[in-house]
């Protein structure tokens, strides 16, 4: 997002945090309601254009949102949307993207309250790895001809009882309503949101053998010191990493594997 939309999203995040800081707020229910509003505005292009029209007064747009949704979702979701449409948005679609993020964040907040956020982070990462290594599964989950109910049932058979409820809800929403995103990019975005709930960055660590608890702790501490933020480690094992490890934080790769050092040395000799 750029310009006005970025500022509007930042304000919406603050309102959501203020709302969910209140322990009486049902973050899970709020997530469902925000997801329903996301789906509505994703379908109704003309409505979202009206709600983001810069020529219309903010209060008029807020009143319209409250009239349309007041009997369909709770007051908290309605108030959040009303606050969002008072803001200016660079593009009407940015409003829907922001609502989707708030819905996911509310679900992650519910997991944080339940003490399961770490599990959800790990399960999202593991599910992404499973999908990337299973062509048939990825094809089934991204098949445009498949019905929503068929995809939901497939995910229920894969995740039901094996993953946290929040993980299943987040993945199901992503798969059944991708809104133009690839499955991989959607899972990556969810992992980043989960990490941000604890103000942590995500490091994807690939090593030839599983790391010990002591190694994980030392690596996490070193990366936290390097980046100045708490770090969540997503651990993967790849036997082709001959020694050391490969660490990716965002777009930056810290490559300390012996295999890559050998390859680099070969390139230098060839040059």
């Amino acid at each position: 997002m750029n310009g006005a939309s970025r500022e509007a999203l930042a304000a919406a995040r603050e309102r959501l945090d203020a709302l969910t800081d209140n322990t009486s707020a049902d973050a899970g229910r709020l997530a469902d309601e925000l997801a329903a509003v996301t789906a509505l505005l994703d379908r109704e292009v003309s409505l979202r254009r009206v709600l983001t029209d810069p020529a219309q007064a903010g209060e008029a747009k807020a009143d319209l949102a409250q009239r349309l949704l007041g009997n369909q979702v709770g007051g908290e979701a309605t108030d959040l949307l009303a606050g969002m449409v008072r803001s200016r948005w660079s593009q009407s679609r940015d409003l829907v993207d922001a609502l989707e993020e708030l819905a996911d964040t509310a679900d992650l907040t519910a997991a944080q309250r339940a003490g399961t956020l770490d599990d959800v982070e790990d399960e999202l990462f593991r599910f992404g790895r499973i999908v990337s290594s299973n062509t048939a599964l990825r094809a089934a989950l991204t098949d445009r001809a498949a019905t929503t109910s068929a995809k939901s049932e497939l995910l229920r058979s894969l995740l039901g009882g094996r993953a946290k409820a929040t993980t299943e809800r987040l993945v199901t929403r992503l798969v059944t309503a991708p809104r133009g995103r690839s499955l991989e990019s959607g899972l990556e975005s969810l992992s980043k949101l989960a990490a941000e709930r604890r103000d942590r960055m995500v490091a994807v660590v690939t090593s030839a053998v599983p790391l010990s608890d002591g190694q994980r702790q030392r690596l996490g501490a070193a990366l936290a010191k390097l980046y100045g933020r708490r770090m969540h480690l997503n651990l993967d094992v790849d036997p082709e990493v001959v020694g050391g490890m490969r660490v990716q934080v965002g777009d930056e790769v810290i490559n300390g594997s012996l295999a890559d050092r050998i390859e680099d040395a070969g390139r230098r000799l060839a040059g």
Side-chain angles (χ1 to χ4, degrees):
M1 293 185 187
N2 297 312
S5 290
R6 187 187 298 114
E7 294 178 6
L9 175 57
R13 287 169 174 163
E14 289 181 3
R15 285 193 292 270
L16 177 65
D17 285 343
L19 178 61
T20 53
D21 280 346
N22 183 345
T23 55
S24 66
D26 187 337
R29 178 180 59 80
L30 180 59
D32 283 339
E33 292 178 344
L34 290 173
V37 177
T38 301
L40 170 66
L41 295 185
D42 194 47
R43 292 192 308 269
E44 303 295 337
V45 178
S46 58
L47 175 58
R48 76 168 183 254
R49 285 177 177 167
V50 170
L51 292 175
T52 56
D53 184 357
Q56 302 295 320
E59 284 304 320
K61 291 184 286 186
D63 288 344
L64 174 61
Q66 289 171 330
R67 289 199 306 273
L68 288 173
L69 299 175
N71 294 325
Q72 300 182 46
V73 297
E76 294 161 342
T78 303
D79 289 345
L80 276 172
L81 178 62
M84 293 172 76
V85 300
R86 288 188 184 98
S87 300
R88 292 179 65 87
W89 297 87
S90 304
Q91 301 180 64
S92 63
R93 187 175 179 82
D94 289 347
L95 172 63
V96 190
D97 291 342
L99 278 165
E100 183 176 58
E101 179 184 311
L102 295 189
D104 293 339
T105 300
D107 252 335
L108 292 167
T109 300
Q112 188 173 30
R113 286 183 183 175
T116 60
L117 184 55
D118 282 346
D119 291 330
V120 171
E121 286 180 292
D122 289 334
E123 288 167 357
L124 289 171
F125 174 72
R126 293 297 170 197
F127 184 77
R129 282 292 186 263
I130 291 170
V131 169
S132 66
S133 64
N134 190 322
T135 304
L137 175 59
R138 186 188 186 283
L141 293 175
T142 58
D143 183 2
R144 295 184 179 181
T147 64
T148 296
S149 60
K151 291 180 180 179
S152 297
E153 184 57 36
L154 173 58
L155 288 171
R156 194 173 299 113
S157 68
L158 292 170
L159 300 176
R162 299 179 179 88
K164 299 299 181 185
T166 297
T167 305
E168 185 176 351
R169 284 153 54 93
L170 289 168
V171 172
T172 299
R173 278 208 301 267
L174 171 62
V175 169
T176 58
R179 302 187 54 248
R181 296 171 299 176
S182 70
L183 183 54
E184 292 80 4
S185 66
L187 287 169
E188 182 180 356
S189 295
L190 288 172
S191 292
K192 288 180 179 178
L193 279 179
E196 287 170 3
R197 290 311 303 162
R198 297 183 187 275
D199 191 30
R200 292 184 296 181
M201 299 180 73
V202 175
V204 178
V205 180
T206 306
S207 57
V209 296
L211 301 182
S212 68
D213 289 342
Q215 288 173 318
R216 288 198 297 268
Q217 291 172 4
R218 288 193 295 273
L219 177 60
L223 290 172
K225 184 176 181 180
L226 178 63
Y227 286 93
R229 292 177 63 184
R230 287 183 295 174
M231 191 72 61
H232 175 74
L233 304 185
N234 282 334
L235 304 175
D236 198 18
V237 175
D238 181 356
E240 293 186 6
V241 180
V242 179
M245 64 188 68
R246 180 180 185 274
V247 180
Q248 181 168 352
V249 181
D251 295 329
E252 184 176 2
V253 175
I254 305 170
N255 209 326
S257 73
L258 178 58
D260 284 327
R261 278 181 273 169
I262 293 171
E263 184 179 347
D264 183 57
R267 284 196 299 267
R268 292 181 183 182
L269 288 172

